[in-house]
């Protein structure tokens, strides 16, 4: 076991955490000595139970965690959730714009309205009461970590973590958010730089990690930091730990592994992509998130594009179209293959070889040791 507070808090050998929506990735990373954290944002409590049943049965007793998204700001918060009302709140111009991109690529748009309501679970889980039922489901399992993606975790998450003796982690993309999270009682900070796949801020990991580490020292907090954003190798992990992190949290690097359920068309694009093939855009969820560039994201970045709607409305515009694109691209549709995209960080430029998730963990350990040796050699006279 490495001598990091993360290893002792989570009872793991190597302080590498894997965020994934794929249960197989979660189990494989935990079994390899790191820790898988299952991203449950789109799942109903019953579906979450099914997935956690599977993970629990396949993880050989190793620790695993669960991640939910409960942001502080989104359209409809505080009102009773009504999918119909949310759909009505979407301007026709946005729906037409999304449909137009599909039509320009020879994709029929008749099914979009049918799938729009499916974003309701996402919206449901964004609410504190929705998150509470998902949390209850999560705590029926021996999880070792609960994480919240956007903003300060709701009090119910902090309370349940304490009650079950499970550390609560929160993602932050800015120094002041980190301080607010620590003051709210979070146990572990996932500090994600602007290179990250998915939602991210605009300060790079290289600057943000030492900035947050310094801020924590100034307020006398010893909350461990997991570095995130752009990390796809053990060398980068070692660098982040040299800057004050106690471990790493990675999302993108698992997307091209054998276990990931990533659309194979997108997997191939990722393996071929360079670090400049991503874009940070509000067009997918309403908040800035980094994704693979494609004609879909380019269209939303164009001058004539409508301004993205607040969360969760923008997802109700983008997800039905992107689901259609995913489905058709896997059937070989040329236009859909061009448009296909998914969240990924700039580290995609370093993800060039298909590997299993276990192999990725082994490679991280090896590269970490090599980086340590490289630095040690600088001291030899
Ligand atoms: C495909 C994908 C989906 C993501 N979804 C979530 C999510 O639901 N909840 C969350 O906390 N973070 C999510 N993230 C962000 C990750 O937790 C993590 O911060 C990020 O992946 C780290 O940067 P990296 O992608 O460069 O490794 C997602 C990331 C990716 C790549």
């Amino acid at each position: 076991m490495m001598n990091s507070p993360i290893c002792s808090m989570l009872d793991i050998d190597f302080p590498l955490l894997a965020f994934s929506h794929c249960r197989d990735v979660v189990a494989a990373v935990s079994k390899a000595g790191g820790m898988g954290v299952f991203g449950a944002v789109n799942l109903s409590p019953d579906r979450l139970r099914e997935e956690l049943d599977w993970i629990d049965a396949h993880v050989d007793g190793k620790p695993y965690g669960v991640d939910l998204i409960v942001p502080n700001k989104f359209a409809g918060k505080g009102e009773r959730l009504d999918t119909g009302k949310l759909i009505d709140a979407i301007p026709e111009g946005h729906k037409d714009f999304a449909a137009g991109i599909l039509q320009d690529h020879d994709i029929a748009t008749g099914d979009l309205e049918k799938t729009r309501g499916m974003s309701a679970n996402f919206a449901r889980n964004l609410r504190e009461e929705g998150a509470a039922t998902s949390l209850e489901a999560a705590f029926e399992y021996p999880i070792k970590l609960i994480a919240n993606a956007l903003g300060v975790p709701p009090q119910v998450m902090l309370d349940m973590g304490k009650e079950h003796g499970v550390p609560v982690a929160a993602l932050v993309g800015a120094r002041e958010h980190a301080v607010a999270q620590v003051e709210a009682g979070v146990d572990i900070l996932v500090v994600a730089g602007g290179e990250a796949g998915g939602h991210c801020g605009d300060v790079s990991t290289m600057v943000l990690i030492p900035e947050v580490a310094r801020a924590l020292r100034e307020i006398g907090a010893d909350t461990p930091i997991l570095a995130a954003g752009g990390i796809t190798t053990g060398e980068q992990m070692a660098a982040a730990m040299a800057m004050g992190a106690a471990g790493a949290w990675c999302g993108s690097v698992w997307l091209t592994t054998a276990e990931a359920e990533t659309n194979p068309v997108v997997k191939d694009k990722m393996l071929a992509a360079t670090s400049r093939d991503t874009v940070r855009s509000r067009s997918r969820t309403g908040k800035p998130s980094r994704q693979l560039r494609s004609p879909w994201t380019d269209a939303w970045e164009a001058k004539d594009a409508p301004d993205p709607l607040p969360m969760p409305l923008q997802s109700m515009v983008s997800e039905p179209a992107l689901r259609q694109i995913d489905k058709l691209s896997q059937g070989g549709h040329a236009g859909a293959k061009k448009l296909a995209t998914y969240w990924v960080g700039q580290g995609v430029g370093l993800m060039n070889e298909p590997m299993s998730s276990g192999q990725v963990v082994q490679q991280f350990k090896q590269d970490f040791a090599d980086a340590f040796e490289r630095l040690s050699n600088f001291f030899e006279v």
Side-chain angles (χ1 to χ4, degrees):
M1 188 189 274
M2 195 184 269
N3 183 17
S4 153
I6 290 295
C7 291
S8 43
M9 276 172 98
L10 304 180
D11 195 20
I12 56 177
D13 293 334
F14 187 61
L16 173 62
L17 277 78
F19 171 89
S20 179
H21 292 296
C22 302
R23 62 192 191 181
D24 300 76
V25 171
V26 171
V29 173
S30 289
K31 281 197 287 196
M35 181 164 154
V37 181
F38 183 65
V41 67
N42 287 320
L43 302 180
S44 67
D46 284 345
R47 282 281 300 112
L48 175 57
R49 286 189 185 92
E50 272 174 41
E51 298 290 274
L52 295 181
D53 276 341
W54 188 95
I55 292 172
D56 210 55
H58 289 83
V59 80
D60 294 351
K62 300 286 188 189
Y64 58 93
V66 169
D67 174 284
L68 296 168
I69 296 189
V70 190
N72 291 320
K73 269 189 235 151
F74 63 93
K77 185 165 180 170
E79 297 164 21
R80 282 223 65 78
L81 176 70
D82 179 337
T83 312
K85 252 195 204 155
L86 286 174
I87 290 177
D88 288 347
I90 303 170
E92 288 303 318
H94 284 72
K95 293 189 227 174
D96 292 347
F97 186 78
I101 303 173
L102 266 56
Q103 283 153 6
D104 287 347
H105 290 81
D106 302 319
I107 297 174
T109 53
D111 284 346
L112 293 184
E113 286 315 312
K114 266 191 253 163
T115 45
R116 212 176 295 285
M118 282 165 66
S119 326
N121 262 336
F122 177 69
R124 189 196 69 84
N125 277 351
L126 290 180
R127 301 170 58 78
E128 195 158 332
E129 68 200 68
T133 51
S134 296
L135 275 171
E136 275 162 22
F139 279 110
E140 289 164 16
Y141 296 80
I143 54 168
K144 287 290 187 314
L145 180 76
I146 187 92
N148 187 45
L150 296 174
V152 175
Q155 194 58 42
V156 57
M157 186 183 271
L158 292 164
D159 291 346
M160 286 181 89
K162 213 168 250 146
E163 192 186 310
H164 289 84
V166 170
V168 178
L171 271 75
V172 295
R175 176 195 187 280
E176 57 276 19
H177 295 163
V179 171
Q181 297 275 13
V182 168
E183 283 169 353
V186 155
D187 303 298
I188 295 173
L189 283 174
V190 179
V191 179
E195 301 96 316
H199 292 117
C200 59
D202 58 2
V203 180
S204 71
T205 306
M206 189 76 179
V207 172
L208 192 60
I209 302 299
E211 199 185 12
V212 170
R214 187 186 291 182
L216 295 191
R217 272 197 305 276
E218 281 168 9
I219 60 168
D222 59 1
T223 316
I225 293 172
L226 285 169
I231 300 175
T232 61
T233 74
E235 293 158 317
Q236 292 169 290
M237 178 175 171
M241 289 174 74
M243 296 191 295
W249 167 289
C250 302
S252 294
V253 74
W254 318 105
L255 294 172
T256 47
T257 61
E259 290 86 352
E261 290 150 19
T262 314
N263 171 357
V265 172
V266 174
K267 231 184 218 183
D268 286 347
K269 282 189 179 185
M270 287 179 177
L271 288 169
T274 73
S275 56
R276 302 186 67 199
D277 292 328
T278 70
V279 60
R280 183 174 170 271
S281 162
R282 283 167 53 230
S283 64
R284 186 142 187 173
T285 71
K287 287 180 186 285
S289 71
R290 189 172 291 286
Q291 48 216 290
L292 196 63
R293 255 192 78 187
S294 86
W296 166 269
T297 62
D298 287 349
W300 282 97
E301 296 306 302
K303 274 202 193 77
D304 64 336
D307 199 30
L309 301 168
M311 191 179 260
L313 300 179
Q314 185 63 24
S315 300
M316 298 175 78
V317 173
S318 63
E319 290 305 327
L322 290 166
R323 211 161 289 167
Q324 179 87 334
I325 290 168
D326 258 340
K327 200 169 77 188
L328 291 175
S329 66
Q330 292 184 58
H333 186 291
K337 281 171 86 171
K338 281 197 195 120
L339 290 171
T341 172
Y342 196 48
W343 287 291
V344 76
Q346 291 177 336
V348 71
L350 294 164
M351 292 155 46
N352 308 128
E353 266 179 70
M355 284 195 256
S356 73
S357 297
Q359 279 171 330
V360 171
V361 178
Q362 293 314 325
Q363 191 67 50
F364 257 82
K365 289 180 183 170
Q366 180 64 51
D367 291 348
F368 188 100
D370 290 350
F372 183 77
E373 197 185 327
R374 192 181 302 141
L375 285 180
S376 307
N377 287 341
F378 284 119
F379 286 103
E380 274 174 21
V381 273

